[in-house]
Amino acid sequence: MHWNKEESLSRQDMSKLQSERLKKACERVYDRVPFYKKSFDAKGVKPSDIKDIKDVVKLPFTKKSDLRDNYPYGLFAEKLDDIVRIHASSGTTGKPTVVAYNRNDINLWAEVMARTFTAAGATNKDVVQNAYGYGLFTGGLGAHYGAERVGAAVIPISGGNTQKQIMLLQDFGSTVITCTPSFALYLYDVAVDMKINFDTIKLRVGLFGAEPWTEEMRKEIEERLRLKAIDIYGLSEIIGPGVSSECIEAQDGLHMNEDHFYPEIIDPATGEQLPYGKEGELVITSMSREAMPLIRYRTGDITSLNPETCACGRTTVRMRRIRGRADDMLIIRGVNVFPSQVESVLLRSKEVAPHYIIEVNRKGRMDEMNVKVEVTQDVMDKMAAKVLTTDLKAFAQEEEELIKIKREIQKNIKDIIGVTTDITLVPPASVQRSEGKAKRVIDNRPK
Ligand code: DLL
């Protein structure tokens, strides 16, 4: 089932629509946003040079720093009178990135999020427990309007409040949950602590995003929470959630809403556009936005694009699951390491749980990576039982067991990623849980 006919246009019709929309967006920003007039002029390009979607490569990029430099309202293409919503995403340093919507943008957002819910199999028969944070973060309100548009009953519980979340899951019979994948796992842990019988919970699908996660993490979540876990992607600068999402039929790549958000993959070093299938940085032009369209926005996210028609019938280009952000990539003694690669390797091991922290330190001139990961309750129980026997030999064997687990993970990380790491196994529930976006990396190296 599709929400809009634009999800299954022929490639030719899609290009035609994109070409028209790109032209309009260029005219709009050139006329209304001094920053764009300047950056178009600096590149020697005029809106009239843009005749086809392929001409996009002539246009200048927009970077996150451009939003900061024009803080707060400098990139708005609309007067405040017509702006009806302002969101912001908190950066790690300094001022937040500010984004604006007019009425048409809010409507567009609800439409693309309705596509997202529909692709995940949600309908007016569903009860959607929306555990994305409401506020400046786009997750809460973005999911809210989309779920309402498909006619579902939305519970605007927002993030956090874990025990109450579980009570509502049981009492309100929520069938769909929306939250970060790390919060989904946290919810599960709390439910286990509360001795909840999962047969009393009706959840059948979760729409998870806002942070990188892996296929292995998906499997864990699906098994534990007994639902289908759908990957949804977006960023505030473009609209919020609603940029791309998986379909429940195939779960094989995220359908880009490319009639509104034109995707390209570039080589992050040279800025050169790369062909379909090649991995690089995702760049998006938000062609239909009115209050704040962005031209060739560099997302910093690493992925690739696949133009083949999906088994679900949608023809929109699919984006592969995000590998990570270019700026989250760690360089450890010359080897590029994405936290998601470490996650994949860890979750292959049955003895550890999907809760981990990667810490990087510099000793002298050497980088050292330490991965702190929780062992499962099973491993813990086995250890405890042995200790209780006061049988020292058995205890020593258990320690050997732990060393074996550590060695195996170390070996897999070395073989698959190519770096030597130190592994610290810690008891269940000792790694900090997240109610929103998880923080998985602590980099203590001097900048
Ligand atoms: O995280 C919007 C969102 C809300 C998406 C709810 C999905 C669900 P920002 O706070 O601006 O917006 O953060 C955007 O988060 O550039 C990616 O690095 C990362 N991200 C978002 N979704 C995914 C995903 C929202 N599915 C930044 N997989 C993006 C991996 C994701 N990374």
Side-chain angles (χ1 to χ4, degrees):
M1 247 255 298
H2 305 175
W3 182 255
N4 293 131
K5 65 176 188 337
E6 284 79 6
E7 294 172 80
S8 50
L9 294 179
S10 67
R11 294 292 339 146
Q12 210 180 3
D13 287 348
M14 178 59 83
S15 293
K16 208 169 140 233
L17 185 61
Q18 289 169 331
S19 300
E20 284 161 17
R21 289 185 173 165
L22 180 67
K23 267 191 273 183
K24 271 203 192 140
C26 288
E27 283 159 15
R28 186 175 185 88
V29 296
Y30 192 81
D31 290 347
R32 293 175 176 230
V33 186
F35 163 81
Y36 275 119
K37 175 158 193 324
K38 233 164 88 188
S39 67
F40 276 48
D41 288 350
K43 253 213 137 192
V45 56
K46 293 250 167 324
S48 55
D49 298 329
I50 306 303
K51 301 193 167 70
D52 187 275
I53 190 67
K54 290 204 184 75
D55 295 325
V56 73
V57 292
K58 298 179 182 164
L59 295 166
F61 291 116
T62 310
K63 300 189 296 297
K64 198 174 189 92
S65 57
D66 297 324
L67 272 78
R68 292 223 183 91
D69 294 346
N70 291 281
Y71 175 86
Y73 295 166
L75 291 186
F76 293 6
E78 195 92 84
K79 292 206 183 66
L80 268 183
D81 302 20
D82 295 311
I83 281 168
V84 297
R85 179 95 64 79
I86 296 173
H87 280 278
S89 79
S90 51
T92 37
T93 50
K95 300 277 191 195
T97 309
V98 180
V99 294
Y101 307 73
N102 71 6
R103 262 182 225 294
N104 291 339
D105 294 328
I106 296 287
N107 183 47
L108 169 68
W109 197 6
E111 276 301 293
V112 288
M113 278 308 286
R115 289 185 190 177
T116 291
F117 277 99
T118 306
T123 67
N124 60 343
K125 299 207 168 34
D126 282 297
V127 176
V128 175
Q129 185 156 328
N130 185 16
Y132 282 118
Y134 283 68
L136 287 178
F137 175 55
T138 51
L141 284 167
H144 184 104
Y145 278 56
E148 271 191 5
R149 177 112 351 152
V150 299
V154 193
I155 308 171
I157 182 161
S158 193
N161 242 325
T162 321
Q163 301 212 349
K164 190 162 176 187
Q165 298 266 3
I166 290 162
M167 185 178 86
L168 297 199
L169 281 178
Q170 289 187 298
D171 297 352
F172 290 14
S174 313
T175 50
V176 176
I177 186 153
T178 49
C179 62
T180 57
S182 53
F183 187 57
L185 282 173
Y186 183 29
L187 270 181
Y188 173 81
D189 285 352
V190 175
V192 170
D193 281 350
M194 289 166 71
K195 308 227 170 348
I196 300 297
N197 172 2
F198 270 82
D199 292 336
T200 63
I201 289 183
K202 288 196 188 149
L203 282 182
R204 57 179 188 81
V205 60
L207 283 71
F208 303 122
E211 65 185 9
W213 54 312
T214 55
E215 211 39 55
E216 287 78 9
M217 183 72 92
R218 188 214 304 269
K219 280 197 205 102
E220 290 268 351
I221 294 177
E222 290 193 333
E223 275 168 26
R224 291 178 179 213
L225 279 89
R226 303 191 200 165
L227 45 66
K228 281 269 185 195
I230 300 293
D231 191 5
I232 72 169
Y233 168 83
L235 62 164
S236 334
E237 295 90 322
I238 296 305
I239 200 155
V243 173
S244 65
S245 61
E246 285 181 330
C247 58
I248 195 160
E249 294 94 331
Q251 288 184 296
D252 182 19
L254 290 80
H255 291 276
M256 298 268 338
N257 290 314
E258 56 165 325
D259 51 330
H260 301 299
F261 313 122
Y262 184 70
E264 301 170 73
I265 298 293
I266 62 159
D267 176 333
T270 63
E272 184 201 349
Q273 195 187 63
L274 299 177
Y276 286 138
K278 283 266 187 281
E279 187 176 85
E281 180 178 350
L282 178 67
V283 166
I284 303 176
T285 301
S286 49
M287 304 175 291
S288 319
R289 290 294 309 280
E290 292 183 354
M292 198 179 134
L294 294 181
I295 304 293
R296 301 193 88 195
Y297 183 68
R298 293 188 60 158
T299 65
D301 294 320
I302 305 295
T303 181
S304 60
L305 297 174
N306 168 11
E308 280 164 32
T309 299
C310 179
C312 73
R314 288 179 183 78
T315 55
T316 42
V317 159
R318 275 173 288 160
M319 170 190 115
R320 213 181 53 202
R321 178 187 282 287
I322 299 281
R323 187 193 284 281
R325 294 186 56 78
D327 41 18
D328 283 349
M329 189 183 76
L330 297 163
I331 304 178
I332 309 289
R333 297 189 291 273
V335 183
N336 296 351
V337 182
F338 279 103
S340 61
Q341 291 173 296
V342 176
E343 180 178 302
S344 300
V345 175
L346 288 178
L347 297 193
R348 282 177 204 189
S349 159
K350 285 268 167 293
E351 289 88 7
V352 298
H355 301 293
Y356 65 95
I357 290 275
I358 302 169
E359 203 179 290
V360 190
N361 289 301
R362 184 160 294 156
K363 274 258 174 72
R365 287 157 82 189
M366 288 290 273
D367 295 332
E368 286 184 350
M369 182 162 120
N370 180 285
V371 179
K372 199 200 264 185
V373 60
E374 288 180 10
V375 292
T376 58
Q377 195 56 49
D378 267 8
V379 170
M380 231 16 224
D381 292 347
K382 253 169 71 188
M383 291 263 316
K386 292 277 160 100
V387 177
L388 285 179
T389 63
T390 62
D391 174 348
L392 276 183
K393 200 168 149 219
F395 182 61
Q397 269 171 7
E398 277 308 326
E399 284 223 305
E400 262 173 44
E401 189 74 29
L402 289 184
I403 293 171
K404 229 172 79 194
I405 300 173
K406 243 158 97 157
R407 289 232 173 95
E408 192 190 307
I409 297 175
Q410 246 163 351
K411 180 173 183 309
N412 287 343
I413 293 185
K414 177 81 191 161
D415 290 353
I416 298 165
I417 311 176
V419 284
T420 308
T421 45
D422 208 17
I423 307 291
T424 311
L425 297 176
V426 295
S430 50
V431 170
Q432 167 101 42
R433 298 295 189 260
S434 123
E435 294 184 344
K437 295 185 191 237
K439 183 165 168 47
R440 308 237 191 243
V441 179
I442 303 174
D443 194 339
N444 295 319
R445 291 175 295 185
K447 289 278 168 307

PDB file of all heavy atoms in Angstrom, residues 26-37:
ATOM      1  N   CYS A  26      15.409  26.956  -6.808  1.00  0.00           N
ATOM      2  CA  CYS A  26      16.556  27.826  -7.057  1.00  0.00           C
ATOM      3  C   CYS A  26      16.107  29.285  -7.188  1.00  0.00           C
ATOM      4  O   CYS A  26      16.727  30.185  -6.618  1.00  0.00           O
ATOM      5  CB  CYS A  26      17.306  27.392  -8.316  1.00  0.00           C
ATOM      6  SG  CYS A  26      18.203  25.864  -8.050  1.00  0.00           S
ATOM      7  N   GLU A  27      15.016  29.484  -7.926  1.00  0.00           N
ATOM      8  CA  GLU A  27      14.504  30.855  -8.065  1.00  0.00           C
ATOM      9  C   GLU A  27      14.142  31.423  -6.698  1.00  0.00           C
ATOM     10  O   GLU A  27      14.485  32.560  -6.370  1.00  0.00           O
ATOM     11  CB  GLU A  27      13.253  30.875  -8.964  1.00  0.00           C
ATOM     12  CG  GLU A  27      13.606  30.750 -10.439  1.00  0.00           C
ATOM     13  CD  GLU A  27      12.416  30.269 -11.275  1.00  0.00           C
ATOM     14  OE1 GLU A  27      11.273  30.307 -10.786  1.00  0.00           O
ATOM     15  OE2 GLU A  27      12.667  29.836 -12.421  1.00  0.00           O
ATOM     16  N   ARG A  28      13.483  30.597  -5.912  1.00  0.00           N
ATOM     17  CA  ARG A  28      13.014  31.055  -4.605  1.00  0.00           C
ATOM     18  C   ARG A  28      14.174  31.489  -3.711  1.00  0.00           C
ATOM     19  O   ARG A  28      14.165  32.584  -3.144  1.00  0.00           O
ATOM     20  CB  ARG A  28      12.233  29.920  -3.941  1.00  0.00           C
ATOM     21  CG  ARG A  28      11.578  30.300  -2.654  1.00  0.00           C
ATOM     22  CD  ARG A  28      10.712  29.161  -2.120  1.00  0.00           C
ATOM     23  NE  ARG A  28      10.007  29.619  -0.934  1.00  0.00           N
ATOM     24  CZ  ARG A  28       8.827  30.226  -0.960  1.00  0.00           C
ATOM     25  NH1 ARG A  28       8.221  30.425  -2.093  1.00  0.00           N
ATOM     26  NH2 ARG A  28       8.264  30.632   0.151  1.00  0.00           N
ATOM     27  N   VAL A  29      15.181  30.629  -3.593  1.00  0.00           N
ATOM     28  CA  VAL A  29      16.264  30.986  -2.655  1.00  0.00           C
ATOM     29  C   VAL A  29      17.123  32.134  -3.203  1.00  0.00           C
ATOM     30  O   VAL A  29      17.606  32.970  -2.446  1.00  0.00           O
ATOM     31  CB  VAL A  29      17.158  29.779  -2.266  1.00  0.00           C
ATOM     32  CG1 VAL A  29      16.351  28.740  -1.503  1.00  0.00           C
ATOM     33  CG2 VAL A  29      17.858  29.158  -3.458  1.00  0.00           C
ATOM     34  N   TYR A  30      17.287  32.170  -4.529  1.00  0.00           N
ATOM     35  CA  TYR A  30      18.125  33.234  -5.119  1.00  0.00           C
ATOM     36  C   TYR A  30      17.474  34.600  -4.878  1.00  0.00           C
ATOM     37  O   TYR A  30      18.146  35.577  -4.539  1.00  0.00           O
ATOM     38  CB  TYR A  30      18.312  32.979  -6.610  1.00  0.00           C
ATOM     39  CG  TYR A  30      19.375  33.847  -7.249  1.00  0.00           C
ATOM     40  CD1 TYR A  30      20.728  33.519  -7.153  1.00  0.00           C
ATOM     41  CD2 TYR A  30      19.024  35.003  -7.947  1.00  0.00           C
ATOM     42  CE1 TYR A  30      21.708  34.309  -7.736  1.00  0.00           C
ATOM     43  CE2 TYR A  30      20.000  35.807  -8.537  1.00  0.00           C
ATOM     44  CZ  TYR A  30      21.346  35.455  -8.429  1.00  0.00           C
ATOM     45  OH  TYR A  30      22.314  36.237  -8.998  1.00  0.00           O
ATOM     46  N   ASP A  31      16.145  34.635  -5.024  1.00  0.00           N
ATOM     47  CA  ASP A  31      15.428  35.901  -4.838  1.00  0.00           C
ATOM     48  C   ASP A  31      15.283  36.304  -3.386  1.00  0.00           C
ATOM     49  O   ASP A  31      15.212  37.480  -3.063  1.00  0.00           O
ATOM     50  CB  ASP A  31      14.004  35.800  -5.425  1.00  0.00           C
ATOM     51  CG  ASP A  31      14.051  35.736  -6.937  1.00  0.00           C
ATOM     52  OD1 ASP A  31      15.131  36.022  -7.490  1.00  0.00           O
ATOM     53  OD2 ASP A  31      13.030  35.360  -7.554  1.00  0.00           O
ATOM     54  N   ARG A  32      15.180  35.304  -2.502  1.00  0.00           N
ATOM     55  CA  ARG A  32      14.769  35.630  -1.137  1.00  0.00           C
ATOM     56  C   ARG A  32      15.841  35.519  -0.066  1.00  0.00           C
ATOM     57  O   ARG A  32      15.662  36.028   1.037  1.00  0.00           O
ATOM     58  CB  ARG A  32      13.615  34.697  -0.725  1.00  0.00           C
ATOM     59  CG  ARG A  32      12.360  34.943  -1.520  1.00  0.00           C
ATOM     60  CD  ARG A  32      11.333  33.901  -1.125  1.00  0.00           C
ATOM     61  NE  ARG A  32      10.072  34.160  -1.790  1.00  0.00           N
ATOM     62  CZ  ARG A  32       8.911  34.205  -1.158  1.00  0.00           C
ATOM     63  NH1 ARG A  32       8.839  34.012   0.132  1.00  0.00           N
ATOM     64  NH2 ARG A  32       7.805  34.445  -1.824  1.00  0.00           N
ATOM     65  N   VAL A  33      16.901  34.758  -0.336  1.00  0.00           N
ATOM     66  CA  VAL A  33      17.883  34.513   0.726  1.00  0.00           C
ATOM     67  C   VAL A  33      19.248  35.070   0.302  1.00  0.00           C
ATOM     68  O   VAL A  33      19.893  34.515  -0.590  1.00  0.00           O
ATOM     69  CB  VAL A  33      18.004  32.989   1.038  1.00  0.00           C
ATOM     70  CG1 VAL A  33      18.910  32.745   2.236  1.00  0.00           C
ATOM     71  CG2 VAL A  33      16.639  32.356   1.226  1.00  0.00           C
ATOM     72  N   PRO A  34      19.683  36.166   0.917  1.00  0.00           N
ATOM     73  CA  PRO A  34      20.945  36.794   0.508  1.00  0.00           C
ATOM     74  C   PRO A  34      22.130  35.816   0.506  1.00  0.00           C
ATOM     75  O   PRO A  34      22.977  35.868  -0.374  1.00  0.00           O
ATOM     76  CB  PRO A  34      21.152  37.888   1.564  1.00  0.00           C
ATOM     77  CG  PRO A  34      19.784  38.180   2.092  1.00  0.00           C
ATOM     78  CD  PRO A  34      18.994  36.918   1.976  1.00  0.00           C
ATOM     79  N   PHE A  35      22.129  34.881   1.475  1.00  0.00           N
ATOM     80  CA  PHE A  35      23.207  33.883   1.516  1.00  0.00           C
ATOM     81  C   PHE A  35      23.281  33.113   0.191  1.00  0.00           C
ATOM     82  O   PHE A  35      24.366  32.868  -0.349  1.00  0.00           O
ATOM     83  CB  PHE A  35      22.965  32.909   2.683  1.00  0.00           C
ATOM     84  CG  PHE A  35      23.767  31.634   2.581  1.00  0.00           C
ATOM     85  CD1 PHE A  35      25.099  31.589   2.978  1.00  0.00           C
ATOM     86  CD2 PHE A  35      23.192  30.476   2.049  1.00  0.00           C
ATOM     87  CE1 PHE A  35      25.845  30.417   2.858  1.00  0.00           C
ATOM     88  CE2 PHE A  35      23.930  29.305   1.921  1.00  0.00           C
ATOM     89  CZ  PHE A  35      25.267  29.280   2.330  1.00  0.00           C
ATOM     90  N   TYR A  36      22.108  32.724  -0.346  1.00  0.00           N
ATOM     91  CA  TYR A  36      22.111  31.946  -1.584  1.00  0.00           C
ATOM     92  C   TYR A  36      22.463  32.803  -2.798  1.00  0.00           C
ATOM     93  O   TYR A  36      23.151  32.340  -3.701  1.00  0.00           O
ATOM     94  CB  TYR A  36      20.783  31.208  -1.781  1.00  0.00           C
ATOM     95  CG  TYR A  36      20.783  29.881  -1.036  1.00  0.00           C
ATOM     96  CD1 TYR A  36      19.879  29.610  -0.032  1.00  0.00           C
ATOM     97  CD2 TYR A  36      21.740  28.903  -1.339  1.00  0.00           C
ATOM     98  CE1 TYR A  36      19.906  28.406   0.663  1.00  0.00           C
ATOM     99  CE2 TYR A  36      21.779  27.700  -0.649  1.00  0.00           C
ATOM    100  CZ  TYR A  36      20.864  27.460   0.347  1.00  0.00           C
ATOM    101  OH  TYR A  36      20.913  26.259   1.022  1.00  0.00           O
ATOM    102  N   LYS A  37      22.005  34.053  -2.798  1.00  0.00           N
ATOM    103  CA  LYS A  37      22.381  34.911  -3.927  1.00  0.00           C
ATOM    104  C   LYS A  37      23.907  34.965  -3.997  1.00  0.00           C
ATOM    105  O   LYS A  37      24.509  34.802  -5.059  1.00  0.00           O
ATOM    106  CB  LYS A  37      21.777  36.316  -3.765  1.00  0.00           C
ATOM    107  CG  LYS A  37      22.237  37.255  -4.854  1.00  0.00           C
ATOM    108  CD  LYS A  37      21.325  38.428  -5.071  1.00  0.00           C
ATOM    109  CE  LYS A  37      21.629  39.179  -6.357  1.00  0.00           C
ATOM    110  NZ  LYS A  37      23.028  39.274  -6.754  1.00  0.00           N
TER     111      LYS A  37
END
